[in-house]
Amino acid sequence: GAVVSQHPSRVICKSGTSVKIECRSLDFQATTMFWYRQFPKQSLMLMATSNEGSKATYEQGVEKDKFLINHASLTLSTLTVTSAHPEDSSFYICSASFRGMGAFFGQGTRLTVV
Amino acid sequence: AQSVTQPDIHITVSEGASLELRCNYSYGATPYLFWYVQSPGQGLQLLLKYFSGDTLVQGIKGFEAEFKRSQSSFNLRKPSVHWSDAAEYFCAVGASNTGKLIFGQGTTLQVKP
């Protein structure tokens, strides 16, 4: 089946630093990748949609300069949280889609900013 | 507005009992409907999905869901719950099968021995 790997699974960073999260489709080419954010005990909120080779489309209210998304290849998308602050602490999940065959989710990344 | 509502935030059932998790949606177009399960600190696993055809869909782990257009509902059911089913369940809707989804608030399932 389609496998999406997200790395790291957990990361702790100091306030003011940047952290990069990778999302890889291991056995298929993902035409589109999605980044979601999940607060504790809450649902997933779509942050942005990225298509390979083009700029990401951000949802309303999501700061594109804070959450940099790069989708350089059909198997890799990265989310960089720049100048992280404690309020950016959250669970970030990516999903990858190909040929309209649905979304396959990564394991998620728990980001803690101290 | 497009939205998904899961009325039950938390449900507790006894092991072996039947289960029904409710999901209602508001969507302007023909919806693609999904149920996902999430274990603590983990990503999402797809249980089942509905696009068209038979309104009763079968999924993995013995789950099924029924699409009722007149009620804008897509409730998830399982005839006999196992302790390993304890998790968070999310209903989601999308315009297609491209992966862009709107999620409900989630229902936490607790299973009593």
Side-chain angles (χ1 to χ4, degrees), chain B:
Chain B
Q2 300 170 349
S3 65
V4 177
T5 301
Q6 293 178 244
D8 305 303
I9 297 174
H10 192 112
I11 284 184
T12 300
V13 299
S14 298
E15 190 169 16
S18 64
L19 171 71
E20 182 170 32
L21 302 181
R22 296 183 291 166
C23 173
N24 293 96
Y25 66 90
S26 174
Y27 206 73
T30 301
Y32 285 66
L33 295 158
F34 307 81
W35 273 101
Y36 288 89
V37 61
Q38 183 182 36
S39 297
Q42 299 294 313
L44 278 72
Q45 181 181 24
L46 179 66
L47 289 175
L48 47 77
K49 58 188 176 184
Y50 172 78
F51 299 154
S52 63
D54 191 346
T55 56
L56 183 64
V57 294
Q58 302 297 320
I60 62 171
K61 303 184 179 185
F63 285 94
E64 65 178 26
E66 185 171 13
F67 172 60
K68 293 185 177 180
R69 184 185 300 275
S70 62
Q71 299 178 19
S72 296
S73 69
F74 188 56
N75 295 347
L76 181 72
R77 300 194 294 250
K78 186 169 185 177
S80 178
V81 171
H82 188 263
W83 63 266
S84 60
D85 293 324
E88 188 82 12
Y89 291 81
F90 290 97
C91 180
V93 64
S96 63
N97 200 19
T98 59
K100 184 175 182 179
L101 301 174
I102 299 170
F103 284 86
Q105 305 92 318
T107 298
T108 302
L109 173 64
Q110 184 178 1
V111 180
K112 294 190 300 184

Side-chain angles (χ1 to χ4, degrees), chain A residues 43-96:
Chain A
S43 187
L44 286 80
M45 300 299 295
L46 179 65
M47 298 175 65
T49 302
S50 74
N51 294 293
E52 184 265 340
S54 61
K55 291 184 177 180
T57 302
Y58 290 81
E59 295 298 303
Q60 190 174 10
V62 177
E63 299 178 61
K64 61 181 180 180
D65 293 332
K66 165 165 274 299
F67 299 101
L68 300 179
I69 292 172
N70 184 277
H71 193 163
S73 76
L74 284 172
T75 59
L76 174 64
S77 177
T78 60
L79 168 67
T80 302
V81 183
T82 62
S83 187
H85 288 91
E87 57 266 30
D88 299 324
S89 299
S90 192
F91 194 61
Y92 294 88
I93 307 177
C94 71
S95 71

Side-chain angles (χ1 to χ4, degrees), chain A residues 9-76:
Chain A
S9 57
R10 291 178 178 270
V11 58
I12 300 173
C13 70
K14 291 184 177 180
S15 185
T17 62
S18 296
V19 62
K20 180 184 287 186
I21 302 169
E22 292 187 347
C23 180
R24 292 181 184 273
S25 56
L26 298 185
D27 51 2
F28 67 98
Q29 293 184 325
T31 50
T32 308
M33 287 187 173
F34 303 89
W35 287 95
Y36 292 85
R37 182 174 181 176
Q38 185 180 28
F39 291 100
K41 303 295 184 182
Q42 295 190 32
S43 187
L44 286 80
M45 300 299 295
L46 179 65
M47 298 175 65
T49 302
S50 74
N51 294 293
E52 184 265 340
S54 61
K55 291 184 177 180
T57 302
Y58 290 81
E59 295 298 303
Q60 190 174 10
V62 177
E63 299 178 61
K64 61 181 180 180
D65 293 332
K66 165 165 274 299
F67 299 101
L68 300 179
I69 292 172
N70 184 277
H71 193 163
S73 76
L74 284 172
T75 59
L76 174 64

